[in-house]
Amino acid sequence: MSIDFSLLPTPPMGFNTWNHFHMDITERLVEDTIEAFITQGLFDAGYRYVNIDDGWMAPARDRRGRLVPDPVRFPGGIRRLADLAHRHGLKLGLYTDCGTRTCGGLPASYDHDLVDANTFADFGIDYLKHDWCHVPFEDFPGLSEAQVAETLYTRMSEAILQTGHPIVLSMCNWGHGHPWEWARGMAHLWRTTPDIADTFAGPTPSGVLSVCEIFHRNVVLADFAGPGGFNDPDMLEVGNGGLTPIEEETHFALWCLMAAPLLLGNDLRALDDHTRRLVTHAGLIAINQDPLCRPARLMGSEGGVHRLQRPMADGSTVWGLFNERADERTVPLPMAMDVAGPVQDVMANRTYERTDARVSVPGHGIRVFRTG
Ligand code: GLA
């Protein structure tokens, strides 16, 4: 049995509660976020998934063994939120975990795949993030972590399929056991790295990685992503305060180039103009959502400037020049860009007037061009 690839022909675009709100989530936040999708132009830009992460369940299952929403934080229940999202043309996502408890310590889906998948189908949700905390490895003697992951994610994948309800499955085992090598057909996307930190580069607390570290780990996996199955280098940190405006642009553009999920992780009720313009940038989103779904490849790096290239479905090519260092650099334009016809400066939204064979890239910045 294989998942329905058609549910996710291009990377998901949406929002997830975790990066900004952690466990501190309520139904009011979800309702306000749904409203913000409409009023802030996010729906018009293509964002659809409103994803509730850890923190939605009550501390215990009900008497019939089902997961239930926390009665204080989600008194109206999940079904009502899914209906609200659907009335606005949006989709609702929810979270559980392969282990005995979620990372935040709430009840999770180990040995409850069928009952939980049926609950999620009854709720009417469209997307499930399936995490990897508190997995009882002692129940699988002799199996590697990758083999345990294949076993447990297959169980949930098949449990979802038997409900007959279309649900995107997002695997979240942080790249352990190289899921990009075996998860296609089992899940629609798979995390390739540990959690992202709201930091561009440099030291991060243990267990989390900067934007630059995640870029390096994910970009080399370009071959494994394609329609229906995507590398997931974690959710976005734009708008959360830890990145400069230029770093936010680079983070967002790199995720677009890598065909990564565009899951906003900031407070959409307080979206500033710079972040709104960035995350609704039509030229960047068109790259991310290109139906060919071929993530950019790293073609080479010189002096901290990385050259990226991505083929597009219409035969055009996207080029990225990403300057990881803090000082501005002037570098040669990619040779192959030297073709007849106009060059589009994607981030600047204008035709690029080539006066020189070299181009400047700000410190921590990116230039994105499209030709052909
Ligand atoms: C893990 C995941 C995060 C988030 C938290 C929730 O760390 O990788 O994305 O879902 O758990 O507790």
Side-chain angles (χ1 to χ4, degrees), residues 241-263:
L243 307 177
T244 67
I246 284 185
E247 290 168 352
E248 289 199 338
E249 288 168 22
T250 300
H251 174 26
F252 189 75
L254 286 174
W255 265 233
C256 287
L257 282 161
M258 294 193 295
L262 297 181
L263 295 174

Side-chain angles (χ1 to χ4, degrees), residues 51-234:
N51 292 350
I52 304 171
D53 207 280
D54 204 352
W56 67 269
M57 309 93 161
R61 290 177 178 268
D62 71 6
R63 269 181 294 154
R64 290 170 56 191
R66 292 173 307 191
L67 291 174
V68 280
D70 185 282
V72 176
R73 295 176 177 277
F74 291 86
I78 302 298
R79 173 88 227 182
R80 194 183 64 83
L81 293 174
D83 290 344
L84 181 68
H86 296 156
R87 276 204 298 282
H88 286 90
L90 297 170
K91 295 174 184 297
L92 195 79
L94 208 56
Y95 164 100
T96 187
D97 183 288
C98 292
T100 50
R101 279 175 291 130
T102 70
C103 300
L106 293 170
S109 295
Y110 186 66
D111 265 349
H112 289 79
D113 306 82
L114 275 180
V115 64
D116 289 353
N118 287 330
T119 301
F120 301 144
D122 289 346
F123 285 162
I125 64 152
D126 308 286
Y127 184 112
L128 180 70
K129 174 173 169 182
H130 203 21
D131 213 343
W132 194 240
C133 278
H134 304 293
V135 175
F137 290 105
E138 63 279 9
D139 287 2
F140 304 90
L143 294 198
S144 66
E145 184 169 355
Q147 289 168 323
V148 178
E150 275 197 69
T151 307
L152 294 185
Y153 284 108
T154 300
R155 283 186 195 167
M156 183 54 88
S157 187
E158 292 184 347
I160 288 172
L161 278 172
Q162 64 78 38
T163 69
H165 187 80
I167 297 177
V168 167
L169 181 58
S170 155
M171 277 180 51
C172 181
N173 73 329
W174 319 308
H176 292 189
H178 297 185
W180 47 89
E181 289 171 356
W182 46 263
R184 178 169 288 276
M186 182 186 304
H188 296 87
L189 54 159
W190 44 84
R191 279 277 297 275
T192 54
T193 69
D195 286 6
I196 193 167
D198 188 15
T199 308
F200 189 70
T204 49
S206 86
V208 292
L209 297 179
S210 69
V211 169
C212 286
E213 287 172 306
I214 289 194
F215 161 73
H216 283 291
R217 289 202 191 188
N218 190 70
V219 74
V220 294
L221 304 175
D223 279 347
F224 297 98
F230 297 97
N231 292 325
D232 176 1
D234 206 5

Side-chain angles (χ1 to χ4, degrees), residues 297-309 320-322:
R297 250 165 227 294
L298 185 58
M299 308 305 285
S301 305
E302 277 95 31
V305 179
H306 309 294
R307 281 180 287 117
L308 297 154
Q309 190 177 334
L321 290 169
F322 161 39

